[in-house]
Amino acid sequence: MRALVVEDEAPLAELIGSYFERDGFEASICHDGLQAVALARDVDPDVVVLDLGLPSLDGIEVCRQIRTFSDAYVVMLTARSEEIDTLIGLSVGADDYLTKPFSPRELMARVQAMLRRPRHSRERTDSGAVDHGAPVRTFGALSIDTSGRDVWLDGEAVALTRTEFDLLSALSARPRMAFSRRQLIDDVWGPSWVGDEHLVDVHIGHLRRKLGDDAADSLYVRTVRGVGYRMGTGT
Ligand code: CA
C-alpha cells in the first residue's frame, strides 16, 4: 500500500508519514500542491492525505486534478471545521475530512476503516458460503461487475472512483431496498465513520453525472424522499 502525504507544515507531514510507515505503508511526502499532482501520477498512491491550504495549488484543485486519473482514497485536512461544509458543497470528491488539530491515531483509524470497506464482491448466501454465481448485475443499459469492479453503460466502460463504485455496489446489492444515508455510510465508509452525512449526496451526485442520470428523473440512482436512495431498474 502506498500513501501520499501533502502538507506544507513539514513537521506534521513527517509525523503523518511516520504513522503510515509504522502501519506498513510506503509513504511519499510533499509540501506543495503542484508537486503533489505530479507525485500522485508517479507513485499511484492508494491513500492521499491532503491539506486544504497549500502553496502553488490549493487542496481543492489538487484533489480535482488527482481525481481525473486516480481512484485513491483522499482524506482532506482542514484548519477549521466550517471549511468541511464548504468543501462538501464544492463537490471536491474527497472521501473523508479531518479538522486540525487531530490525532494521527484517529487519521490512521479512518484510513484503515476506508481500506477495510466491504467490497461486495463475494456475496454470501444464507448458509454463509460464498456465492460465485452472477457477479454481474444488470439494470437496463447499466452492468455492474462486482468481482472485477467494472461498470458499463451501453457497453462503454464507466470510470468510477472507489467510493462511487462502493455506493453503486451497495445500492445494487439490494435493489428493492431504500437506503438511508446512514445505512450507505455504514456500508461504504464503515459504522465508525462520524461526520456530515451529506457527504453521501456529493458522491451520489458524481455517480449520477457519470451514469448520465438526471437527479429529477433518474434511471439508476433514485432519490427516495425523506429516506435516501435506492437502485432504479434502468427503464
Ligand atoms: Ca497548510
Side-chain angles (χ1 to χ4, degrees):
M1 288 285 186
R2 289 176 300 275
L4 172 60
V5 180
V6 189
E7 166 61 65
D8 55 323
E9 291 168 48
L12 180 57
E14 296 294 332
L15 179 68
I16 297 170
S18 71
Y19 269 80
F20 272 104
E21 280 170 358
R22 215 187 50 181
D23 275 13
F25 286 80
E26 220 175 276
S28 306
I29 290 171
C30 80
H31 311 300
D32 167 280
L34 274 172
Q35 203 191 336
V37 177
L39 202 53
R41 280 187 200 277
D42 272 1
V43 301
D44 187 21
D46 301 285
V47 181
V48 180
V49 177
L50 182 56
D51 187 32
L52 176 64
L54 289 170
S56 79
L57 204 59
D58 70 16
I60 293 174
E61 195 48 37
V62 172
C63 187
R64 286 212 173 112
Q65 294 197 15
I66 288 178
R67 272 288 168 256
T68 62
F69 58 86
S70 166
D71 69 350
Y73 288 121
V74 177
V75 184
M76 278 209 119
L77 306 180
T78 67
R80 289 175 297 120
S81 58
E82 306 87 73
E83 287 169 342
I84 295 179
D85 292 331
T86 313
L87 288 171
I88 290 177
L90 284 172
S91 309
V92 175
D95 296 285
D96 206 348
Y97 300 89
L98 266 182
T99 304
K100 295 177 186 176
F102 57 88
S103 87
R105 278 175 206 284
E106 186 190 352
L107 170 65
M108 293 314 297
R110 293 223 187 173
V111 167
Q112 296 296 358
M114 282 196 285
L115 295 171
R116 270 198 311 269
R117 281 180 188 179
R119 286 300 177 205
H120 301 284
S121 54
R122 287 187 209 148
E123 304 289 320
R124 285 179 188 276
T125 62
D126 290 343
S127 64
V130 175
D131 177 15
H132 293 287
V136 179
R137 301 171 187 158
T138 306
F139 301 87
L142 177 68
S143 304
I144 305 160
D145 177 351
T146 54
S147 55
R149 297 178 65 79
D150 292 316
V151 174
W152 295 276
L153 187 63
D154 281 322
E156 299 267 344
V158 183
L160 299 182
T161 66
R162 294 185 196 207
T163 301
E164 289 156 10
F165 183 86
D166 289 342
L167 279 168
L168 187 60
S169 183
L171 289 166
S172 63
R174 279 168 286 173
R176 278 176 299 277
M177 178 168 155
F179 287 80
S180 68
R181 289 177 180 82
R182 185 67 232 181
Q183 282 170 313
L184 288 169
I185 283 172
D186 287 351
D187 265 24
V188 173
W189 281 263
S192 58
W193 190 89
V194 180
D196 187 333
E197 293 183 3
H198 287 90
L199 183 62
V200 172
D201 303 339
V202 175
H203 292 282
I204 293 279
H206 292 162
L207 180 57
R208 278 176 168 160
R209 208 170 312 138
K210 290 182 182 178
L211 299 179
D213 238 354
D214 177 353
D217 183 25
S218 50
L219 284 179
Y220 303 112
V221 181
R222 295 200 165 150
T223 301
V224 182
R225 221 167 275 283
V227 181
Y229 299 99
R230 61 164 285 182
M231 200 66 202
T233 57
T235 53

PDB file of all heavy atoms in Angstrom, residues 30-67:
ATOM      1  N   CYS A  30       5.065  15.425   0.336  1.00  0.00           N
ATOM      2  CA  CYS A  30       5.443  16.667  -0.333  1.00  0.00           C
ATOM      3  C   CYS A  30       4.702  17.828   0.293  1.00  0.00           C
ATOM      4  O   CYS A  30       3.720  17.656   0.998  1.00  0.00           O
ATOM      5  CB  CYS A  30       5.290  16.573  -1.841  1.00  0.00           C
ATOM      6  SG  CYS A  30       3.652  16.779  -2.435  1.00  0.00           S
ATOM      7  N   HIS A  31       5.214  19.038   0.045  1.00  0.00           N
ATOM      8  CA  HIS A  31       4.762  20.225   0.760  1.00  0.00           C
ATOM      9  C   HIS A  31       4.109  21.246  -0.154  1.00  0.00           C
ATOM     10  O   HIS A  31       3.869  22.374   0.254  1.00  0.00           O
ATOM     11  CB  HIS A  31       5.962  20.880   1.476  1.00  0.00           C
ATOM     12  CG  HIS A  31       6.781  19.924   2.283  1.00  0.00           C
ATOM     13  ND1 HIS A  31       6.247  19.199   3.333  1.00  0.00           N
ATOM     14  CD2 HIS A  31       8.074  19.548   2.189  1.00  0.00           C
ATOM     15  CE1 HIS A  31       7.197  18.418   3.848  1.00  0.00           C
ATOM     16  NE2 HIS A  31       8.306  18.604   3.172  1.00  0.00           N
ATOM     17  N   ASP A  32       3.831  20.856  -1.385  1.00  0.00           N
ATOM     18  CA  ASP A  32       3.412  21.833  -2.386  1.00  0.00           C
ATOM     19  C   ASP A  32       2.365  21.207  -3.310  1.00  0.00           C
ATOM     20  O   ASP A  32       2.452  20.028  -3.654  1.00  0.00           O
ATOM     21  CB  ASP A  32       4.688  22.228  -3.157  1.00  0.00           C
ATOM     22  CG  ASP A  32       4.402  22.979  -4.425  1.00  0.00           C
ATOM     23  OD1 ASP A  32       4.055  22.348  -5.446  1.00  0.00           O
ATOM     24  OD2 ASP A  32       4.514  24.210  -4.383  1.00  0.00           O
ATOM     25  N   GLY A  33       1.370  22.002  -3.705  1.00  0.00           N
ATOM     26  CA  GLY A  33       0.246  21.488  -4.475  1.00  0.00           C
ATOM     27  C   GLY A  33       0.600  20.965  -5.856  1.00  0.00           C
ATOM     28  O   GLY A  33       0.199  19.862  -6.232  1.00  0.00           O
ATOM     29  N   LEU A  34       1.332  21.747  -6.620  1.00  0.00           N
ATOM     30  CA  LEU A  34       1.689  21.323  -7.979  1.00  0.00           C
ATOM     31  C   LEU A  34       2.514  20.051  -7.957  1.00  0.00           C
ATOM     32  O   LEU A  34       2.293  19.127  -8.744  1.00  0.00           O
ATOM     33  CB  LEU A  34       2.500  22.423  -8.684  1.00  0.00           C
ATOM     34  CG  LEU A  34       1.688  23.509  -9.378  1.00  0.00           C
ATOM     35  CD1 LEU A  34       2.607  24.625  -9.869  1.00  0.00           C
ATOM     36  CD2 LEU A  34       0.873  22.931 -10.536  1.00  0.00           C
ATOM     37  N   GLN A  35       3.453  20.029  -7.014  1.00  0.00           N
ATOM     38  CA  GLN A  35       4.319  18.865  -6.869  1.00  0.00           C
ATOM     39  C   GLN A  35       3.477  17.640  -6.479  1.00  0.00           C
ATOM     40  O   GLN A  35       3.763  16.519  -6.909  1.00  0.00           O
ATOM     41  CB  GLN A  35       5.332  19.186  -5.779  1.00  0.00           C
ATOM     42  CG  GLN A  35       6.614  18.407  -5.822  1.00  0.00           C
ATOM     43  CD  GLN A  35       7.416  18.619  -4.538  1.00  0.00           C
ATOM     44  OE1 GLN A  35       7.247  19.638  -3.846  1.00  0.00           O
ATOM     45  NE2 GLN A  35       8.253  17.665  -4.203  1.00  0.00           N
ATOM     46  N   ALA A  36       2.439  17.863  -5.698  1.00  0.00           N
ATOM     47  CA  ALA A  36       1.585  16.766  -5.230  1.00  0.00           C
ATOM     48  C   ALA A  36       0.907  16.051  -6.403  1.00  0.00           C
ATOM     49  O   ALA A  36       0.822  14.825  -6.436  1.00  0.00           O
ATOM     50  CB  ALA A  36       0.536  17.288  -4.256  1.00  0.00           C
ATOM     51  N   VAL A  37       0.422  16.832  -7.381  1.00  0.00           N
ATOM     52  CA  VAL A  37      -0.253  16.240  -8.533  1.00  0.00           C
ATOM     53  C   VAL A  37       0.739  15.382  -9.326  1.00  0.00           C
ATOM     54  O   VAL A  37       0.433  14.240  -9.702  1.00  0.00           O
ATOM     55  CB  VAL A  37      -0.885  17.321  -9.434  1.00  0.00           C
ATOM     56  CG1 VAL A  37      -1.519  16.698 -10.663  1.00  0.00           C
ATOM     57  CG2 VAL A  37      -1.932  18.126  -8.648  1.00  0.00           C
ATOM     58  N   ALA A  38       1.939  15.920  -9.540  1.00  0.00           N
ATOM     59  CA  ALA A  38       2.964  15.175 -10.281  1.00  0.00           C
ATOM     60  C   ALA A  38       3.354  13.903  -9.531  1.00  0.00           C
ATOM     61  O   ALA A  38       3.467  12.819 -10.122  1.00  0.00           O
ATOM     62  CB  ALA A  38       4.189  16.065 -10.495  1.00  0.00           C
ATOM     63  N   LEU A  39       3.492  14.033  -8.215  1.00  0.00           N
ATOM     64  CA  LEU A  39       3.901  12.886  -7.408  1.00  0.00           C
ATOM     65  C   LEU A  39       2.807  11.811  -7.388  1.00  0.00           C
ATOM     66  O   LEU A  39       3.090  10.613  -7.410  1.00  0.00           O
ATOM     67  CB  LEU A  39       4.220  13.370  -5.984  1.00  0.00           C
ATOM     68  CG  LEU A  39       5.136  12.514  -5.117  1.00  0.00           C
ATOM     69  CD1 LEU A  39       6.447  12.207  -5.827  1.00  0.00           C
ATOM     70  CD2 LEU A  39       5.424  13.230  -3.796  1.00  0.00           C
ATOM     71  N   ALA A  40       1.558  12.247  -7.382  1.00  0.00           N
ATOM     72  CA  ALA A  40       0.447  11.291  -7.386  1.00  0.00           C
ATOM     73  C   ALA A  40       0.461  10.469  -8.675  1.00  0.00           C
ATOM     74  O   ALA A  40       0.156   9.274  -8.665  1.00  0.00           O
ATOM     75  CB  ALA A  40      -0.889  12.027  -7.232  1.00  0.00           C
ATOM     76  N   ARG A  41       0.824  11.103  -9.801  1.00  0.00           N
ATOM     77  CA  ARG A  41       0.947  10.362 -11.065  1.00  0.00           C
ATOM     78  C   ARG A  41       2.075   9.343 -10.975  1.00  0.00           C
ATOM     79  O   ARG A  41       1.958   8.228 -11.455  1.00  0.00           O
ATOM     80  CB  ARG A  41       1.256  11.319 -12.223  1.00  0.00           C
ATOM     81  CG  ARG A  41       0.055  12.036 -12.748  1.00  0.00           C
ATOM     82  CD  ARG A  41       0.433  12.812 -14.001  1.00  0.00           C
ATOM     83  NE  ARG A  41      -0.529  13.869 -14.261  1.00  0.00           N
ATOM     84  CZ  ARG A  41      -1.688  13.684 -14.884  1.00  0.00           C
ATOM     85  NH1 ARG A  41      -2.008  12.482 -15.330  1.00  0.00           N
ATOM     86  NH2 ARG A  41      -2.527  14.682 -15.053  1.00  0.00           N
ATOM     87  N   ASP A  42       3.184   9.767 -10.349  1.00  0.00           N
ATOM     88  CA  ASP A  42       4.368   8.902 -10.241  1.00  0.00           C
ATOM     89  C   ASP A  42       4.133   7.699  -9.348  1.00  0.00           C
ATOM     90  O   ASP A  42       4.431   6.579  -9.720  1.00  0.00           O
ATOM     91  CB  ASP A  42       5.547   9.697  -9.645  1.00  0.00           C
ATOM     92  CG  ASP A  42       6.342  10.399 -10.712  1.00  0.00           C
ATOM     93  OD1 ASP A  42       5.964  10.291 -11.896  1.00  0.00           O
ATOM     94  OD2 ASP A  42       7.344  11.057 -10.358  1.00  0.00           O
ATOM     95  N   VAL A  43       3.640   7.945  -8.128  1.00  0.00           N
ATOM     96  CA  VAL A  43       3.611   6.861  -7.133  1.00  0.00           C
ATOM     97  C   VAL A  43       2.298   6.091  -7.133  1.00  0.00           C
ATOM     98  O   VAL A  43       2.210   5.035  -6.522  1.00  0.00           O
ATOM     99  CB  VAL A  43       3.948   7.352  -5.693  1.00  0.00           C
ATOM    100  CG1 VAL A  43       5.314   7.986  -5.651  1.00  0.00           C
ATOM    101  CG2 VAL A  43       2.894   8.280  -5.148  1.00  0.00           C
ATOM    102  N   ASP A  44       1.253   6.606  -7.820  1.00  0.00           N
ATOM    103  CA  ASP A  44      -0.034   5.929  -7.876  1.00  0.00           C
ATOM    104  C   ASP A  44      -0.483   5.467  -6.487  1.00  0.00           C
ATOM    105  O   ASP A  44      -0.612   4.269  -6.223  1.00  0.00           O
ATOM    106  CB  ASP A  44       0.056   4.729  -8.834  1.00  0.00           C
ATOM    107  CG  ASP A  44      -1.290   4.087  -9.071  1.00  0.00           C
ATOM    108  OD1 ASP A  44      -2.318   4.761  -8.850  1.00  0.00           O
ATOM    109  OD2 ASP A  44      -1.336   2.899  -9.439  1.00  0.00           O
ATOM    110  N   PRO A  45      -0.719   6.421  -5.568  1.00  0.00           N
ATOM    111  CA  PRO A  45      -0.999   6.054  -4.178  1.00  0.00           C
ATOM    112  C   PRO A  45      -2.379   5.408  -3.992  1.00  0.00           C
ATOM    113  O   PRO A  45      -3.283   5.618  -4.797  1.00  0.00           O
ATOM    114  CB  PRO A  45      -0.953   7.403  -3.442  1.00  0.00           C
ATOM    115  CG  PRO A  45      -1.315   8.401  -4.482  1.00  0.00           C
ATOM    116  CD  PRO A  45      -0.773   7.879  -5.776  1.00  0.00           C
ATOM    117  N   ASP A  46      -2.510   4.617  -2.920  1.00  0.00           N
ATOM    118  CA  ASP A  46      -3.808   4.067  -2.529  1.00  0.00           C
ATOM    119  C   ASP A  46      -4.569   5.062  -1.666  1.00  0.00           C
ATOM    120  O   ASP A  46      -5.797   5.073  -1.652  1.00  0.00           O
ATOM    121  CB  ASP A  46      -3.604   2.768  -1.739  1.00  0.00           C
ATOM    122  CG  ASP A  46      -2.862   1.733  -2.556  1.00  0.00           C
ATOM    123  OD1 ASP A  46      -3.485   1.151  -3.451  1.00  0.00           O
ATOM    124  OD2 ASP A  46      -1.648   1.550  -2.326  1.00  0.00           O
ATOM    125  N   VAL A  47      -3.804   5.851  -0.904  1.00  0.00           N
ATOM    126  CA  VAL A  47      -4.393   6.840   0.006  1.00  0.00           C
ATOM    127  C   VAL A  47      -3.646   8.159  -0.157  1.00  0.00           C
ATOM    128  O   VAL A  47      -2.417   8.166  -0.262  1.00  0.00           O
ATOM    129  CB  VAL A  47      -4.246   6.394   1.481  1.00  0.00           C
ATOM    130  CG1 VAL A  47      -4.873   7.424   2.412  1.00  0.00           C
ATOM    131  CG2 VAL A  47      -4.851   5.025   1.710  1.00  0.00           C
ATOM    132  N   VAL A  48      -4.398   9.267  -0.200  1.00  0.00           N
ATOM    133  CA  VAL A  48      -3.774  10.594  -0.231  1.00  0.00           C
ATOM    134  C   VAL A  48      -4.299  11.381   0.959  1.00  0.00           C
ATOM    135  O   VAL A  48      -5.514  11.473   1.154  1.00  0.00           O
ATOM    136  CB  VAL A  48      -4.111  11.352  -1.539  1.00  0.00           C
ATOM    137  CG1 VAL A  48      -3.451  12.734  -1.542  1.00  0.00           C
ATOM    138  CG2 VAL A  48      -3.679  10.564  -2.762  1.00  0.00           C
ATOM    139  N   VAL A  49      -3.384  11.906   1.772  1.00  0.00           N
ATOM    140  CA  VAL A  49      -3.768  12.833   2.841  1.00  0.00           C
ATOM    141  C   VAL A  49      -3.409  14.211   2.328  1.00  0.00           C
ATOM    142  O   VAL A  49      -2.260  14.471   1.962  1.00  0.00           O
ATOM    143  CB  VAL A  49      -3.017  12.519   4.155  1.00  0.00           C
ATOM    144  CG1 VAL A  49      -3.381  13.545   5.218  1.00  0.00           C
ATOM    145  CG2 VAL A  49      -3.354  11.118   4.626  1.00  0.00           C
ATOM    146  N   LEU A  50      -4.420  15.081   2.245  1.00  0.00           N
ATOM    147  CA  LEU A  50      -4.253  16.319   1.504  1.00  0.00           C
ATOM    148  C   LEU A  50      -4.679  17.515   2.334  1.00  0.00           C
ATOM    149  O   LEU A  50      -5.849  17.637   2.708  1.00  0.00           O
ATOM    150  CB  LEU A  50      -5.123  16.202   0.233  1.00  0.00           C
ATOM    151  CG  LEU A  50      -5.128  17.310  -0.776  1.00  0.00           C
ATOM    152  CD1 LEU A  50      -3.729  17.616  -1.284  1.00  0.00           C
ATOM    153  CD2 LEU A  50      -6.041  16.915  -1.935  1.00  0.00           C
ATOM    154  N   ASP A  51      -3.737  18.404   2.622  1.00  0.00           N
ATOM    155  CA  ASP A  51      -4.064  19.629   3.347  1.00  0.00           C
ATOM    156  C   ASP A  51      -4.789  20.588   2.409  1.00  0.00           C
ATOM    157  O   ASP A  51      -4.489  20.650   1.217  1.00  0.00           O
ATOM    158  CB  ASP A  51      -2.768  20.254   3.883  1.00  0.00           C
ATOM    159  CG  ASP A  51      -3.054  21.448   4.786  1.00  0.00           C
ATOM    160  OD1 ASP A  51      -4.100  21.440   5.463  1.00  0.00           O
ATOM    161  OD2 ASP A  51      -2.232  22.378   4.810  1.00  0.00           O
ATOM    162  N   LEU A  52      -5.754  21.342   2.956  1.00  0.00           N
ATOM    163  CA  LEU A  52      -6.507  22.284   2.127  1.00  0.00           C
ATOM    164  C   LEU A  52      -5.644  23.482   1.718  1.00  0.00           C
ATOM    165  O   LEU A  52      -5.610  23.865   0.559  1.00  0.00           O
ATOM    166  CB  LEU A  52      -7.754  22.744   2.901  1.00  0.00           C
ATOM    167  CG  LEU A  52      -8.626  23.800   2.238  1.00  0.00           C
ATOM    168  CD1 LEU A  52      -9.227  23.271   0.954  1.00  0.00           C
ATOM    169  CD2 LEU A  52      -9.732  24.233   3.188  1.00  0.00           C
ATOM    170  N   GLY A  53      -4.942  24.059   2.708  1.00  0.00           N
ATOM    171  CA  GLY A  53      -4.139  25.252   2.427  1.00  0.00           C
ATOM    172  C   GLY A  53      -2.717  24.870   2.049  1.00  0.00           C
ATOM    173  O   GLY A  53      -1.953  24.414   2.879  1.00  0.00           O
ATOM    174  N   LEU A  54      -2.389  25.048   0.756  1.00  0.00           N
ATOM    175  CA  LEU A  54      -1.074  24.633   0.257  1.00  0.00           C
ATOM    176  C   LEU A  54      -0.507  25.732  -0.633  1.00  0.00           C
ATOM    177  O   LEU A  54      -1.260  26.446  -1.282  1.00  0.00           O
ATOM    178  CB  LEU A  54      -1.209  23.369  -0.608  1.00  0.00           C
ATOM    179  CG  LEU A  54      -1.544  22.056   0.060  1.00  0.00           C
ATOM    180  CD1 LEU A  54      -1.866  21.027  -1.012  1.00  0.00           C
ATOM    181  CD2 LEU A  54      -0.390  21.576   0.928  1.00  0.00           C
ATOM    182  N   PRO A  55       0.811  25.815  -0.721  1.00  0.00           N
ATOM    183  CA  PRO A  55       1.392  26.755  -1.687  1.00  0.00           C
ATOM    184  C   PRO A  55       1.215  26.251  -3.120  1.00  0.00           C
ATOM    185  O   PRO A  55       1.092  25.048  -3.329  1.00  0.00           O
ATOM    186  CB  PRO A  55       2.887  26.783  -1.324  1.00  0.00           C
ATOM    187  CG  PRO A  55       3.065  25.880  -0.165  1.00  0.00           C
ATOM    188  CD  PRO A  55       1.824  25.109   0.060  1.00  0.00           C
ATOM    189  N   SER A  56       1.175  27.149  -4.054  1.00  0.00           N
ATOM    190  CA  SER A  56       1.111  26.974  -5.517  1.00  0.00           C
ATOM    191  C   SER A  56      -0.235  26.471  -6.038  1.00  0.00           C
ATOM    192  O   SER A  56      -0.736  26.969  -7.033  1.00  0.00           O
ATOM    193  CB  SER A  56       2.274  26.129  -6.074  1.00  0.00           C
ATOM    194  OG  SER A  56       2.046  24.756  -5.862  1.00  0.00           O
ATOM    195  N   LEU A  57      -0.844  25.470  -5.377  1.00  0.00           N
ATOM    196  CA  LEU A  57      -2.147  24.970  -5.829  1.00  0.00           C
ATOM    197  C   LEU A  57      -2.851  24.507  -4.557  1.00  0.00           C
ATOM    198  O   LEU A  57      -2.270  23.740  -3.797  1.00  0.00           O
ATOM    199  CB  LEU A  57      -1.893  23.784  -6.774  1.00  0.00           C
ATOM    200  CG  LEU A  57      -2.920  23.398  -7.812  1.00  0.00           C
ATOM    201  CD1 LEU A  57      -3.175  24.573  -8.746  1.00  0.00           C
ATOM    202  CD2 LEU A  57      -2.422  22.202  -8.621  1.00  0.00           C
ATOM    203  N   ASP A  58      -4.074  24.991  -4.296  1.00  0.00           N
ATOM    204  CA  ASP A  58      -4.694  24.600  -3.022  1.00  0.00           C
ATOM    205  C   ASP A  58      -5.229  23.165  -3.086  1.00  0.00           C
ATOM    206  O   ASP A  58      -5.287  22.548  -4.149  1.00  0.00           O
ATOM    207  CB  ASP A  58      -5.776  25.601  -2.577  1.00  0.00           C
ATOM    208  CG  ASP A  58      -7.020  25.574  -3.443  1.00  0.00           C
ATOM    209  OD1 ASP A  58      -7.217  24.602  -4.207  1.00  0.00           O
ATOM    210  OD2 ASP A  58      -7.816  26.523  -3.350  1.00  0.00           O
ATOM    211  N   GLY A  59      -5.600  22.657  -1.897  1.00  0.00           N
ATOM    212  CA  GLY A  59      -6.017  21.260  -1.783  1.00  0.00           C
ATOM    213  C   GLY A  59      -7.227  20.925  -2.648  1.00  0.00           C
ATOM    214  O   GLY A  59      -7.350  19.806  -3.154  1.00  0.00           O
ATOM    215  N   ILE A  60      -8.125  21.900  -2.843  1.00  0.00           N
ATOM    216  CA  ILE A  60      -9.330  21.663  -3.654  1.00  0.00           C
ATOM    217  C   ILE A  60      -8.917  21.332  -5.087  1.00  0.00           C
ATOM    218  O   ILE A  60      -9.377  20.350  -5.678  1.00  0.00           O
ATOM    219  CB  ILE A  60     -10.237  22.919  -3.650  1.00  0.00           C
ATOM    220  CG1 ILE A  60     -10.803  23.134  -2.242  1.00  0.00           C
ATOM    221  CG2 ILE A  60     -11.342  22.802  -4.679  1.00  0.00           C
ATOM    222  CD1 ILE A  60     -11.591  24.411  -2.080  1.00  0.00           C
ATOM    223  N   GLU A  61      -8.030  22.156  -5.635  1.00  0.00           N
ATOM    224  CA  GLU A  61      -7.596  21.961  -7.023  1.00  0.00           C
ATOM    225  C   GLU A  61      -6.739  20.698  -7.154  1.00  0.00           C
ATOM    226  O   GLU A  61      -6.855  19.959  -8.128  1.00  0.00           O
ATOM    227  CB  GLU A  61      -6.843  23.217  -7.496  1.00  0.00           C
ATOM    228  CG  GLU A  61      -6.652  23.310  -8.992  1.00  0.00           C
ATOM    229  CD  GLU A  61      -7.922  23.051  -9.801  1.00  0.00           C
ATOM    230  OE1 GLU A  61      -9.021  23.465  -9.378  1.00  0.00           O
ATOM    231  OE2 GLU A  61      -7.806  22.413 -10.878  1.00  0.00           O
ATOM    232  N   VAL A  62      -5.919  20.453  -6.133  1.00  0.00           N
ATOM    233  CA  VAL A  62      -5.093  19.227  -6.157  1.00  0.00           C
ATOM    234  C   VAL A  62      -6.009  18.008  -6.192  1.00  0.00           C
ATOM    235  O   VAL A  62      -5.826  17.079  -6.981  1.00  0.00           O
ATOM    236  CB  VAL A  62      -4.149  19.169  -4.933  1.00  0.00           C
ATOM    237  CG1 VAL A  62      -3.449  17.819  -4.860  1.00  0.00           C
ATOM    238  CG2 VAL A  62      -3.113  20.289  -4.997  1.00  0.00           C
ATOM    239  N   CYS A  63      -7.053  18.014  -5.340  1.00  0.00           N
ATOM    240  CA  CYS A  63      -7.987  16.888  -5.283  1.00  0.00           C
ATOM    241  C   CYS A  63      -8.678  16.711  -6.630  1.00  0.00           C
ATOM    242  O   CYS A  63      -8.773  15.606  -7.156  1.00  0.00           O
ATOM    243  CB  CYS A  63      -8.996  17.115  -4.164  1.00  0.00           C
ATOM    244  SG  CYS A  63     -10.051  15.687  -3.879  1.00  0.00           S
ATOM    245  N   ARG A  64      -9.142  17.822  -7.221  1.00  0.00           N
ATOM    246  CA  ARG A  64      -9.823  17.742  -8.527  1.00  0.00           C
ATOM    247  C   ARG A  64      -8.909  17.129  -9.576  1.00  0.00           C
ATOM    248  O   ARG A  64      -9.327  16.283 -10.362  1.00  0.00           O
ATOM    249  CB  ARG A  64     -10.242  19.144  -8.999  1.00  0.00           C
ATOM    250  CG  ARG A  64     -11.428  19.662  -8.240  1.00  0.00           C
ATOM    251  CD  ARG A  64     -12.293  20.565  -9.132  1.00  0.00           C
ATOM    252  NE  ARG A  64     -13.514  20.903  -8.392  1.00  0.00           N
ATOM    253  CZ  ARG A  64     -13.811  22.125  -7.952  1.00  0.00           C
ATOM    254  NH1 ARG A  64     -12.997  23.121  -8.202  1.00  0.00           N
ATOM    255  NH2 ARG A  64     -14.922  22.328  -7.286  1.00  0.00           N
ATOM    256  N   GLN A  65      -7.655  17.589  -9.572  1.00  0.00           N
ATOM    257  CA  GLN A  65      -6.729  17.084 -10.605  1.00  0.00           C
ATOM    258  C   GLN A  65      -6.385  15.618 -10.365  1.00  0.00           C
ATOM    259  O   GLN A  65      -6.336  14.834 -11.316  1.00  0.00           O
ATOM    260  CB  GLN A  65      -5.461  17.948 -10.658  1.00  0.00           C
ATOM    261  CG  GLN A  65      -5.793  19.363 -11.132  1.00  0.00           C
ATOM    262  CD  GLN A  65      -4.570  20.140 -11.591  1.00  0.00           C
ATOM    263  OE1 GLN A  65      -3.512  19.581 -11.828  1.00  0.00           O
ATOM    264  NE2 GLN A  65      -4.719  21.447 -11.712  1.00  0.00           N
ATOM    265  N   ILE A  66      -6.160  15.242  -9.109  1.00  0.00           N
ATOM    266  CA  ILE A  66      -5.835  13.835  -8.811  1.00  0.00           C
ATOM    267  C   ILE A  66      -7.016  12.945  -9.206  1.00  0.00           C
ATOM    268  O   ILE A  66      -6.840  11.853  -9.744  1.00  0.00           O
ATOM    269  CB  ILE A  66      -5.450  13.665  -7.324  1.00  0.00           C
ATOM    270  CG1 ILE A  66      -4.063  14.279  -7.064  1.00  0.00           C
ATOM    271  CG2 ILE A  66      -5.453  12.186  -6.909  1.00  0.00           C
ATOM    272  CD1 ILE A  66      -3.596  14.209  -5.620  1.00  0.00           C
ATOM    273  N   ARG A  67      -8.233  13.440  -8.984  1.00  0.00           N
ATOM    274  CA  ARG A  67      -9.445  12.674  -9.311  1.00  0.00           C
ATOM    275  C   ARG A  67      -9.569  12.353 -10.793  1.00  0.00           C
ATOM    276  O   ARG A  67     -10.280  11.434 -11.177  1.00  0.00           O
ATOM    277  CB  ARG A  67     -10.695  13.447  -8.861  1.00  0.00           C
ATOM    278  CG  ARG A  67     -11.095  13.157  -7.455  1.00  0.00           C
ATOM    279  CD  ARG A  67     -11.686  11.771  -7.325  1.00  0.00           C
ATOM    280  NE  ARG A  67     -11.826  11.376  -5.939  1.00  0.00           N
ATOM    281  CZ  ARG A  67     -11.019  10.522  -5.330  1.00  0.00           C
ATOM    282  NH1 ARG A  67     -10.014   9.972  -5.975  1.00  0.00           N
ATOM    283  NH2 ARG A  67     -11.206  10.192  -4.075  1.00  0.00           N
TER     284      ARG A  67
END
